[in-house]
Amino acid sequence: MRSGRLLATVAAASILAGGTVPALAQESTDTRLKKVEAEVRALQRKVFPGPGGKFFEPEITPTPTSPGTPAQPATTPVTDLLTRMDAVEAQMARLTSQVEQNTNRIDQLEAKLAAGPAPAAATPVVTPPAAAQSNLDAMTGGASAKPIAPPPAPTPKPKPAAPSSARVEAVKAVVKPQTADPGDDEYSYGYRLWEAKFYPEAQQQLKLFLEKYPRHPRGSWGRNLLGRAYLEDGNPSEAAKWFLQNYQTDKRGERAPDSLLYLAVTMKQMKDAKRACIALAEFGQTYAAEAAGRLKGLYDSTRNGLSCS
């Protein structure tokens, strides 16, 4: 009897257990499914607004984390991507700005190169020979030195026309001497051209003589005559340079007194009374015998009209 009850009890428990376990499993699955469906509906309501643009609040709120649960990341992969894109765009903007600046500089350099070199600075005025700037009193060792400035530059003359056939024939008619002294022949030919009033031809010939025979005894004559050729050709500025150079080169030269006196003549002709008086004073002191003898007439006529102290 007792054994039968025990068997019945065990069987009942087995049946009860067999019906309860499947029910519990079914209930757990339904709960999880409902939770997933609720989350989907909440997601749909969050993403897709309802009428009037109003968003629905989600049905499921995030479960608060316990103190021991690791914190969720503050950013998402999309946020990180956007941040990196912003950084790349900023860098590209800087590079673009630098490229534009470099391009502009290159364009400016190319424009300067295409324009060619800058124009050269104005060529300074060439000073006349030192002889034309010397001090006549200082050349004698006097204490009262008065500077003599270079004569004004002559007005450029128009290019002379080609000589006529008649002039060419006339110049050819001037015979060049042929002696045992070729240097003297060169000077004498220049003198004959000057005497015939062929002044440009005489200038050319006398310069040739001085270049070929710089130490010839006729050198003082040649320089003085070259100054005369320029003076009588209407170029007193160039004449003054040769007169003063001849005087400076050799004060004891045979034509040094003539050159110093003609320097005064030239200054007077150029309306420079001060320098004319300086040259006359130097001539009267250095070549007193010439002033009272061979060159007295020219000396007196040059002093006439000048108020020299």
Side-chain angles (χ1 to χ4, degrees):
M1 187 67 178
R2 183 175 296 179
S3 299
R5 288 182 180 179
L6 181 58
L7 292 171
T9 301
V10 173
S14 299
I15 294 171
L16 181 61
T20 302
V21 172
L24 290 174
Q26 181 68 31
E27 182 181 358
S28 176
T29 302
D30 291 341
T31 301
R32 293 173 61 189
L33 181 59
K34 289 178 181 179
K35 184 177 180 180
V36 172
E37 289 175 348
E39 289 178 353
V40 171
R41 287 196 299 271
L43 180 60
Q44 290 174 344
R45 291 179 180 180
K46 185 66 177 176
V47 176
F48 302 101
K54 181 180 179 181
F55 288 92
F56 292 96
E57 294 295 331
E59 293 181 356
I60 298 176
T61 58
T63 304
T65 59
S66 61
T69 304
Q72 296 295 326
T75 61
T76 65
V78 174
T79 305
D80 293 339
L81 181 60
L82 293 175
T83 302
R84 292 171 62 187
M85 288 179 65
D86 291 342
V88 171
E89 289 178 351
Q91 188 176 2
M92 287 293 295
R94 289 194 299 269
L95 292 175
T96 302
S97 177
Q98 293 177 359
V99 170
E100 291 178 352
Q101 292 177 1
N102 291 336
T103 302
N104 187 32
R105 292 173 182 172
I106 292 174
D107 291 342
Q108 292 178 356
L109 291 175
E110 290 179 348
K112 290 182 180 179
L113 292 175
T123 304
V125 178
V126 179
T127 57
Q133 304 178 37
S134 299
N135 183 318
L136 292 180
D137 287 342
M139 288 189 293
T140 62
S144 58
K146 297 180 181 179
I148 177 170
T155 303
K157 293 184 178 181
K159 187 177 180 180
S164 63
S165 57
R167 184 181 181 88
V168 172
E169 293 299 325
V171 171
K172 289 182 178 180
V174 178
V175 180
K176 182 178 181 179
Q178 300 288 334
T179 67
D181 187 347
D184 189 76
D185 293 341
E186 296 289 351
Y187 166 76
S188 298
Y189 183 49
Y191 176 82
R192 293 181 181 183
L193 290 170
W194 169 81
E195 189 177 33
K197 302 186 184 304
F198 294 134
Y199 300 124
E201 291 82 358
Q203 296 164 13
Q204 183 177 2
Q205 175 60 32
L206 291 169
K207 285 182 180 180
L208 177 64
F209 159 68
L210 292 172
E211 290 174 1
K212 291 177 65 175
Y213 305 98
R215 300 183 181 279
H216 196 276
R218 287 283 193 176
S220 179
W221 294 71
R223 287 185 292 270
N224 180 73
L225 189 58
L226 183 55
R228 294 282 303 274
Y230 275 112
L231 180 62
E232 294 172 29
D233 194 31
N235 192 346
S237 177
E238 190 67 22
K241 296 176 185 178
W242 285 103
F243 288 140
L244 189 53
Q245 182 182 354
N246 190 43
Y247 171 70
Q248 281 186 314
T249 301
D250 184 8
K251 294 181 181 180
R252 296 184 179 182
E254 296 182 71
R255 284 295 180 263
D258 303 66
S259 291
L260 184 57
L261 183 55
Y262 271 107
L263 178 62
V265 173
T266 303
M267 293 295 104
K268 182 179 179 181
Q269 183 174 329
M270 296 175 66
K271 309 298 182 183
D272 193 338
K274 181 179 180 180
R275 292 182 177 84
C277 288
I278 293 174
L280 284 172
E282 179 69 13
F283 172 77
Q285 180 180 354
T286 307
Y287 304 109
E290 298 288 347
R294 180 174 65 88
L295 298 174
K296 184 178 185 305
L298 182 59
Y299 176 59
D300 292 340
S301 63
T302 306
R303 293 184 60 188
N304 187 25
L306 295 174
S307 300
C308 299
S309 56

PDB file of all heavy atoms in Angstrom, residues 96-131:
ATOM      1  N   THR A  96      47.300  74.300 -50.190  1.00  0.00           N
ATOM      2  CA  THR A  96      46.832  75.075 -51.348  1.00  0.00           C
ATOM      3  C   THR A  96      47.278  76.522 -51.246  1.00  0.00           C
ATOM      4  O   THR A  96      47.716  77.142 -52.222  1.00  0.00           O
ATOM      5  CB  THR A  96      45.304  74.997 -51.443  1.00  0.00           C
ATOM      6  OG1 THR A  96      44.916  73.631 -51.555  1.00  0.00           O
ATOM      7  CG2 THR A  96      44.799  75.778 -52.644  1.00  0.00           C
ATOM      8  N   SER A  97      47.192  77.093 -50.007  1.00  0.00           N
ATOM      9  CA  SER A  97      47.634  78.482 -49.813  1.00  0.00           C
ATOM     10  C   SER A  97      49.120  78.637 -50.097  1.00  0.00           C
ATOM     11  O   SER A  97      49.553  79.577 -50.756  1.00  0.00           O
ATOM     12  CB  SER A  97      47.319  78.918 -48.386  1.00  0.00           C
ATOM     13  OG  SER A  97      47.794  80.221 -48.144  1.00  0.00           O
ATOM     14  N   GLN A  98      49.935  77.661 -49.617  1.00  0.00           N
ATOM     15  CA  GLN A  98      51.379  77.730 -49.876  1.00  0.00           C
ATOM     16  C   GLN A  98      51.688  77.608 -51.361  1.00  0.00           C
ATOM     17  O   GLN A  98      52.560  78.302 -51.887  1.00  0.00           O
ATOM     18  CB  GLN A  98      52.087  76.628 -49.096  1.00  0.00           C
ATOM     19  CG  GLN A  98      52.040  76.820 -47.586  1.00  0.00           C
ATOM     20  CD  GLN A  98      52.695  75.669 -46.843  1.00  0.00           C
ATOM     21  OE1 GLN A  98      53.169  74.727 -47.461  1.00  0.00           O
ATOM     22  NE2 GLN A  98      52.703  75.752 -45.514  1.00  0.00           N
ATOM     23  N   VAL A  99      50.969  76.717 -52.047  1.00  0.00           N
ATOM     24  CA  VAL A  99      51.190  76.560 -53.490  1.00  0.00           C
ATOM     25  C   VAL A  99      50.855  77.850 -54.222  1.00  0.00           C
ATOM     26  O   VAL A  99      51.580  78.291 -55.130  1.00  0.00           O
ATOM     27  CB  VAL A  99      50.352  75.388 -54.026  1.00  0.00           C
ATOM     28  CG1 VAL A  99      50.370  75.369 -55.548  1.00  0.00           C
ATOM     29  CG2 VAL A  99      50.888  74.063 -53.496  1.00  0.00           C
ATOM     30  N   GLU A 100      49.749  78.509 -53.822  1.00  0.00           N
ATOM     31  CA  GLU A 100      49.377  79.766 -54.472  1.00  0.00           C
ATOM     32  C   GLU A 100      50.429  80.840 -54.228  1.00  0.00           C
ATOM     33  O   GLU A 100      50.774  81.611 -55.133  1.00  0.00           O
ATOM     34  CB  GLU A 100      48.015  80.217 -53.950  1.00  0.00           C
ATOM     35  CG  GLU A 100      46.846  79.329 -54.404  1.00  0.00           C
ATOM     36  CD  GLU A 100      45.535  79.783 -53.814  1.00  0.00           C
ATOM     37  OE1 GLU A 100      45.556  80.677 -52.943  1.00  0.00           O
ATOM     38  OE2 GLU A 100      44.480  79.248 -54.220  1.00  0.00           O
ATOM     39  N   GLN A 101      50.965  80.917 -52.997  1.00  0.00           N
ATOM     40  CA  GLN A 101      52.005  81.908 -52.717  1.00  0.00           C
ATOM     41  C   GLN A 101      53.259  81.643 -53.539  1.00  0.00           C
ATOM     42  O   GLN A 101      53.854  82.567 -54.106  1.00  0.00           O
ATOM     43  CB  GLN A 101      52.328  81.893 -51.223  1.00  0.00           C
ATOM     44  CG  GLN A 101      51.195  82.407 -50.328  1.00  0.00           C
ATOM     45  CD  GLN A 101      51.546  82.311 -48.850  1.00  0.00           C
ATOM     46  OE1 GLN A 101      52.649  81.880 -48.493  1.00  0.00           O
ATOM     47  NE2 GLN A 101      50.609  82.694 -47.996  1.00  0.00           N
ATOM     48  N   ASN A 102      53.689  80.384 -53.583  1.00  0.00           N
ATOM     49  CA  ASN A 102      54.884  80.049 -54.369  1.00  0.00           C
ATOM     50  C   ASN A 102      54.671  80.327 -55.856  1.00  0.00           C
ATOM     51  O   ASN A 102      55.576  80.812 -56.552  1.00  0.00           O
ATOM     52  CB  ASN A 102      55.244  78.579 -54.167  1.00  0.00           C
ATOM     53  CG  ASN A 102      55.742  78.297 -52.760  1.00  0.00           C
ATOM     54  OD1 ASN A 102      56.228  79.199 -52.081  1.00  0.00           O
ATOM     55  ND2 ASN A 102      55.617  77.057 -52.317  1.00  0.00           N
ATOM     56  N   THR A 103      53.475  80.037 -56.343  1.00  0.00           N
ATOM     57  CA  THR A 103      53.172  80.311 -57.759  1.00  0.00           C
ATOM     58  C   THR A 103      53.250  81.799 -58.046  1.00  0.00           C
ATOM     59  O   THR A 103      53.780  82.229 -59.075  1.00  0.00           O
ATOM     60  CB  THR A 103      51.781  79.770 -58.113  1.00  0.00           C
ATOM     61  OG1 THR A 103      51.740  78.362 -57.843  1.00  0.00           O
ATOM     62  CG2 THR A 103      51.458  80.020 -59.577  1.00  0.00           C
ATOM     63  N   ASN A 104      52.727  82.593 -57.113  1.00  0.00           N
ATOM     64  CA  ASN A 104      52.767  84.049 -57.299  1.00  0.00           C
ATOM     65  C   ASN A 104      54.206  84.556 -57.317  1.00  0.00           C
ATOM     66  O   ASN A 104      54.575  85.411 -58.141  1.00  0.00           O
ATOM     67  CB  ASN A 104      51.988  84.724 -56.168  1.00  0.00           C
ATOM     68  CG  ASN A 104      51.843  86.225 -56.376  1.00  0.00           C
ATOM     69  OD1 ASN A 104      51.773  86.688 -57.508  1.00  0.00           O
ATOM     70  ND2 ASN A 104      51.789  86.973 -55.299  1.00  0.00           N
ATOM     71  N   ARG A 105      55.053  84.033 -56.419  1.00  0.00           N
ATOM     72  CA  ARG A 105      56.461  84.455 -56.402  1.00  0.00           C
ATOM     73  C   ARG A 105      57.173  84.062 -57.685  1.00  0.00           C
ATOM     74  O   ARG A 105      57.966  84.831 -58.237  1.00  0.00           O
ATOM     75  CB  ARG A 105      57.165  83.827 -55.205  1.00  0.00           C
ATOM     76  CG  ARG A 105      56.687  84.374 -53.860  1.00  0.00           C
ATOM     77  CD  ARG A 105      57.295  83.611 -52.706  1.00  0.00           C
ATOM     78  NE  ARG A 105      56.808  84.098 -51.426  1.00  0.00           N
ATOM     79  CZ  ARG A 105      57.057  83.503 -50.260  1.00  0.00           C
ATOM     80  NH1 ARG A 105      57.810  82.415 -50.224  1.00  0.00           N
ATOM     81  NH2 ARG A 105      56.566  84.002 -49.139  1.00  0.00           N
ATOM     82  N   ILE A 106      56.902  82.858 -58.156  1.00  0.00           N
ATOM     83  CA  ILE A 106      57.540  82.406 -59.407  1.00  0.00           C
ATOM     84  C   ILE A 106      57.106  83.285 -60.570  1.00  0.00           C
ATOM     85  O   ILE A 106      57.915  83.654 -61.432  1.00  0.00           O
ATOM     86  CB  ILE A 106      57.191  80.935 -59.668  1.00  0.00           C
ATOM     87  CG1 ILE A 106      57.876  80.044 -58.610  1.00  0.00           C
ATOM     88  CG2 ILE A 106      57.619  80.516 -61.065  1.00  0.00           C
ATOM     89  CD1 ILE A 106      57.480  78.593 -58.689  1.00  0.00           C
ATOM     90  N   ASP A 107      55.810  83.664 -60.596  1.00  0.00           N
ATOM     91  CA  ASP A 107      55.325  84.547 -61.668  1.00  0.00           C
ATOM     92  C   ASP A 107      56.040  85.893 -61.633  1.00  0.00           C
ATOM     93  O   ASP A 107      56.400  86.456 -62.669  1.00  0.00           O
ATOM     94  CB  ASP A 107      53.811  84.749 -61.527  1.00  0.00           C
ATOM     95  CG  ASP A 107      53.041  83.472 -61.835  1.00  0.00           C
ATOM     96  OD1 ASP A 107      53.626  82.571 -62.477  1.00  0.00           O
ATOM     97  OD2 ASP A 107      51.869  83.368 -61.433  1.00  0.00           O
ATOM     98  N   GLN A 108      56.255  86.428 -60.415  1.00  0.00           N
ATOM     99  CA  GLN A 108      56.955  87.708 -60.305  1.00  0.00           C
ATOM    100  C   GLN A 108      58.391  87.598 -60.786  1.00  0.00           C
ATOM    101  O   GLN A 108      58.906  88.491 -61.469  1.00  0.00           O
ATOM    102  CB  GLN A 108      56.907  88.189 -58.852  1.00  0.00           C
ATOM    103  CG  GLN A 108      55.516  88.589 -58.371  1.00  0.00           C
ATOM    104  CD  GLN A 108      55.508  89.014 -56.913  1.00  0.00           C
ATOM    105  OE1 GLN A 108      56.537  88.943 -56.240  1.00  0.00           O
ATOM    106  NE2 GLN A 108      54.359  89.446 -56.438  1.00  0.00           N
ATOM    107  N   LEU A 109      59.080  86.500 -60.404  1.00  0.00           N
ATOM    108  CA  LEU A 109      60.462  86.309 -60.859  1.00  0.00           C
ATOM    109  C   LEU A 109      60.537  86.170 -62.371  1.00  0.00           C
ATOM    110  O   LEU A 109      61.426  86.743 -63.015  1.00  0.00           O
ATOM    111  CB  LEU A 109      61.061  85.070 -60.188  1.00  0.00           C
ATOM    112  CG  LEU A 109      61.329  85.173 -58.686  1.00  0.00           C
ATOM    113  CD1 LEU A 109      61.802  83.830 -58.141  1.00  0.00           C
ATOM    114  CD2 LEU A 109      62.371  86.249 -58.401  1.00  0.00           C
ATOM    115  N   GLU A 110      59.607  85.410 -62.949  1.00  0.00           N
ATOM    116  CA  GLU A 110      59.600  85.255 -64.402  1.00  0.00           C
ATOM    117  C   GLU A 110      59.348  86.586 -65.095  1.00  0.00           C
ATOM    118  O   GLU A 110      59.921  86.870 -66.149  1.00  0.00           O
ATOM    119  CB  GLU A 110      58.547  84.233 -64.805  1.00  0.00           C
ATOM    120  CG  GLU A 110      58.909  82.801 -64.409  1.00  0.00           C
ATOM    121  CD  GLU A 110      57.824  81.810 -64.800  1.00  0.00           C
ATOM    122  OE1 GLU A 110      56.719  82.269 -65.168  1.00  0.00           O
ATOM    123  OE2 GLU A 110      58.085  80.591 -64.746  1.00  0.00           O
ATOM    124  N   ALA A 111      58.482  87.426 -64.479  1.00  0.00           N
ATOM    125  CA  ALA A 111      58.215  88.738 -65.078  1.00  0.00           C
ATOM    126  C   ALA A 111      59.466  89.608 -65.055  1.00  0.00           C
ATOM    127  O   ALA A 111      59.771  90.315 -66.019  1.00  0.00           O
ATOM    128  CB  ALA A 111      57.077  89.428 -64.329  1.00  0.00           C
ATOM    129  N   LYS A 112      60.227  89.542 -63.940  1.00  0.00           N
ATOM    130  CA  LYS A 112      61.458  90.330 -63.870  1.00  0.00           C
ATOM    131  C   LYS A 112      62.483  89.837 -64.876  1.00  0.00           C
ATOM    132  O   LYS A 112      63.185  90.625 -65.519  1.00  0.00           O
ATOM    133  CB  LYS A 112      62.033  90.254 -62.456  1.00  0.00           C
ATOM    134  CG  LYS A 112      61.203  90.999 -61.421  1.00  0.00           C
ATOM    135  CD  LYS A 112      61.860  90.913 -60.047  1.00  0.00           C
ATOM    136  CE  LYS A 112      61.041  91.662 -59.007  1.00  0.00           C
ATOM    137  NZ  LYS A 112      61.651  91.579 -57.662  1.00  0.00           N
ATOM    138  N   LEU A 113      62.606  88.499 -65.006  1.00  0.00           N
ATOM    139  CA  LEU A 113      63.562  87.956 -65.971  1.00  0.00           C
ATOM    140  C   LEU A 113      63.165  88.304 -67.397  1.00  0.00           C
ATOM    141  O   LEU A 113      64.021  88.590 -68.241  1.00  0.00           O
ATOM    142  CB  LEU A 113      63.648  86.440 -65.811  1.00  0.00           C
ATOM    143  CG  LEU A 113      64.286  85.942 -64.507  1.00  0.00           C
ATOM    144  CD1 LEU A 113      64.193  84.427 -64.411  1.00  0.00           C
ATOM    145  CD2 LEU A 113      65.738  86.386 -64.440  1.00  0.00           C
ATOM    146  N   ALA A 114      61.867  88.286 -67.664  1.00  0.00           N
ATOM    147  CA  ALA A 114      61.418  88.620 -69.014  1.00  0.00           C
ATOM    148  C   ALA A 114      61.663  90.084 -69.336  1.00  0.00           C
ATOM    149  O   ALA A 114      61.916  90.444 -70.488  1.00  0.00           O
ATOM    150  CB  ALA A 114      59.925  88.304 -69.153  1.00  0.00           C
ATOM    151  N   ALA A 115      61.617  90.943 -68.292  1.00  0.00           N
ATOM    152  CA  ALA A 115      61.850  92.369 -68.525  1.00  0.00           C
ATOM    153  C   ALA A 115      63.299  92.671 -68.804  1.00  0.00           C
ATOM    154  O   ALA A 115      63.639  93.751 -69.276  1.00  0.00           O
ATOM    155  CB  ALA A 115      61.365  93.183 -67.324  1.00  0.00           C
ATOM    156  N   GLY A 116      64.183  91.708 -68.527  1.00  0.00           N
ATOM    157  CA  GLY A 116      65.600  91.929 -68.794  1.00  0.00           C
ATOM    158  C   GLY A 116      66.271  92.584 -67.607  1.00  0.00           C
ATOM    159  O   GLY A 116      65.633  92.964 -66.619  1.00  0.00           O
ATOM    160  N   PRO A 117      67.579  92.761 -67.657  1.00  0.00           N
ATOM    161  CA  PRO A 117      68.306  93.367 -66.553  1.00  0.00           C
ATOM    162  C   PRO A 117      67.895  94.801 -66.348  1.00  0.00           C
ATOM    163  O   PRO A 117      67.462  95.495 -67.269  1.00  0.00           O
ATOM    164  CB  PRO A 117      69.785  93.257 -67.003  1.00  0.00           C
ATOM    165  CG  PRO A 117      69.708  93.135 -68.480  1.00  0.00           C
ATOM    166  CD  PRO A 117      68.424  92.417 -68.797  1.00  0.00           C
ATOM    167  N   ALA A 118      68.037  95.146 -65.142  1.00  0.00           N
ATOM    168  CA  ALA A 118      67.721  96.529 -64.828  1.00  0.00           C
ATOM    169  C   ALA A 118      68.639  97.459 -65.579  1.00  0.00           C
ATOM    170  O   ALA A 118      69.792  97.142 -65.843  1.00  0.00           O
ATOM    171  CB  ALA A 118      67.879  96.764 -63.328  1.00  0.00           C
ATOM    172  N   PRO A 119      68.078  98.620 -65.902  1.00  0.00           N
ATOM    173  CA  PRO A 119      68.924  99.569 -66.614  1.00  0.00           C
ATOM    174  C   PRO A 119      70.119  99.980 -65.795  1.00  0.00           C
ATOM    175  O   PRO A 119      70.012 100.169 -64.595  1.00  0.00           O
ATOM    176  CB  PRO A 119      67.983 100.760 -66.855  1.00  0.00           C
ATOM    177  CG  PRO A 119      66.882 100.580 -65.881  1.00  0.00           C
ATOM    178  CD  PRO A 119      66.754  99.114 -65.639  1.00  0.00           C
ATOM    179  N   ALA A 120      71.249 100.068 -66.487  1.00  0.00           N
ATOM    180  CA  ALA A 120      72.472 100.426 -65.786  1.00  0.00           C
ATOM    181  C   ALA A 120      72.407 101.850 -65.293  1.00  0.00           C
ATOM    182  O   ALA A 120      71.714 102.695 -65.832  1.00  0.00           O
ATOM    183  CB  ALA A 120      73.681 100.255 -66.714  1.00  0.00           C
ATOM    184  N   ALA A 121      73.142 102.115 -64.208  1.00  0.00           N
ATOM    185  CA  ALA A 121      73.185 103.469 -63.670  1.00  0.00           C
ATOM    186  C   ALA A 121      73.873 104.392 -64.659  1.00  0.00           C
ATOM    187  O   ALA A 121      74.686 103.994 -65.488  1.00  0.00           O
ATOM    188  CB  ALA A 121      73.940 103.470 -62.330  1.00  0.00           C
ATOM    189  N   ALA A 122      73.530 105.674 -64.539  1.00  0.00           N
ATOM    190  CA  ALA A 122      74.087 106.673 -65.449  1.00  0.00           C
ATOM    191  C   ALA A 122      75.608 106.697 -65.326  1.00  0.00           C
ATOM    192  O   ALA A 122      76.157 106.681 -64.224  1.00  0.00           O
ATOM    193  CB  ALA A 122      73.516 108.044 -65.134  1.00  0.00           C
ATOM    194  N   THR A 123      76.283 106.695 -66.440  1.00  0.00           N
ATOM    195  CA  THR A 123      77.746 106.721 -66.443  1.00  0.00           C
ATOM    196  C   THR A 123      78.237 108.057 -65.927  1.00  0.00           C
ATOM    197  O   THR A 123      77.793 109.110 -66.394  1.00  0.00           O
ATOM    198  CB  THR A 123      78.275 106.513 -67.876  1.00  0.00           C
ATOM    199  OG1 THR A 123      77.735 105.290 -68.372  1.00  0.00           O
ATOM    200  CG2 THR A 123      79.803 106.469 -67.875  1.00  0.00           C
ATOM    201  N   PRO A 124      79.096 108.057 -64.922  1.00  0.00           N
ATOM    202  CA  PRO A 124      79.570 109.331 -64.401  1.00  0.00           C
ATOM    203  C   PRO A 124      80.353 110.090 -65.457  1.00  0.00           C
ATOM    204  O   PRO A 124      80.969 109.511 -66.347  1.00  0.00           O
ATOM    205  CB  PRO A 124      80.479 108.908 -63.227  1.00  0.00           C
ATOM    206  CG  PRO A 124      80.866 107.504 -63.538  1.00  0.00           C
ATOM    207  CD  PRO A 124      79.700 106.910 -64.271  1.00  0.00           C
ATOM    208  N   VAL A 125      80.292 111.386 -65.328  1.00  0.00           N
ATOM    209  CA  VAL A 125      80.990 112.242 -66.276  1.00  0.00           C
ATOM    210  C   VAL A 125      82.485 112.013 -66.140  1.00  0.00           C
ATOM    211  O   VAL A 125      83.036 112.040 -65.029  1.00  0.00           O
ATOM    212  CB  VAL A 125      80.642 113.720 -66.013  1.00  0.00           C
ATOM    213  CG1 VAL A 125      81.412 114.617 -66.969  1.00  0.00           C
ATOM    214  CG2 VAL A 125      79.146 113.930 -66.152  1.00  0.00           C
ATOM    215  N   VAL A 126      83.135 111.736 -67.229  1.00  0.00           N
ATOM    216  CA  VAL A 126      84.573 111.503 -67.209  1.00  0.00           C
ATOM    217  C   VAL A 126      85.279 112.832 -67.012  1.00  0.00           C
ATOM    218  O   VAL A 126      85.032 113.793 -67.741  1.00  0.00           O
ATOM    219  CB  VAL A 126      85.027 110.837 -68.520  1.00  0.00           C
ATOM    220  CG1 VAL A 126      86.532 110.628 -68.507  1.00  0.00           C
ATOM    221  CG2 VAL A 126      84.301 109.523 -68.703  1.00  0.00           C
ATOM    222  N   THR A 127      86.125 112.888 -66.006  1.00  0.00           N
ATOM    223  CA  THR A 127      86.839 114.129 -65.754  1.00  0.00           C
ATOM    224  C   THR A 127      87.925 114.332 -66.792  1.00  0.00           C
ATOM    225  O   THR A 127      88.487 113.378 -67.324  1.00  0.00           O
ATOM    226  CB  THR A 127      87.483 114.075 -64.361  1.00  0.00           C
ATOM    227  OG1 THR A 127      88.336 112.939 -64.295  1.00  0.00           O
ATOM    228  CG2 THR A 127      86.417 113.971 -63.279  1.00  0.00           C
ATOM    229  N   PRO A 128      88.208 115.542 -67.114  1.00  0.00           N
ATOM    230  CA  PRO A 128      89.257 115.823 -68.084  1.00  0.00           C
ATOM    231  C   PRO A 128      90.607 115.361 -67.552  1.00  0.00           C
ATOM    232  O   PRO A 128      90.737 115.019 -66.378  1.00  0.00           O
ATOM    233  CB  PRO A 128      89.212 117.348 -68.239  1.00  0.00           C
ATOM    234  CG  PRO A 128      87.866 117.747 -67.739  1.00  0.00           C
ATOM    235  CD  PRO A 128      87.528 116.746 -66.678  1.00  0.00           C
ATOM    236  N   PRO A 129      91.634 115.332 -68.373  1.00  0.00           N
ATOM    237  CA  PRO A 129      92.966 114.962 -67.905  1.00  0.00           C
ATOM    238  C   PRO A 129      93.402 115.823 -66.739  1.00  0.00           C
ATOM    239  O   PRO A 129      92.953 116.951 -66.577  1.00  0.00           O
ATOM    240  CB  PRO A 129      93.851 115.179 -69.136  1.00  0.00           C
ATOM    241  CG  PRO A 129      92.911 115.090 -70.288  1.00  0.00           C
ATOM    242  CD  PRO A 129      91.590 115.611 -69.807  1.00  0.00           C
ATOM    243  N   ALA A 130      94.261 115.256 -65.900  1.00  0.00           N
ATOM    244  CA  ALA A 130      94.711 115.993 -64.725  1.00  0.00           C
ATOM    245  C   ALA A 130      95.339 117.319 -65.109  1.00  0.00           C
ATOM    246  O   ALA A 130      95.257 118.305 -64.370  1.00  0.00           O
ATOM    247  CB  ALA A 130      95.709 115.149 -63.936  1.00  0.00           C
ATOM    248  N   ALA A 131      95.948 117.358 -66.280  1.00  0.00           N
ATOM    249  CA  ALA A 131      96.583 118.602 -66.710  1.00  0.00           C
ATOM    250  C   ALA A 131      95.584 119.727 -66.835  1.00  0.00           C
ATOM    251  O   ALA A 131      95.899 120.886 -66.554  1.00  0.00           O
ATOM    252  CB  ALA A 131      97.290 118.384 -68.044  1.00  0.00           C
TER     253      ALA A 131
END
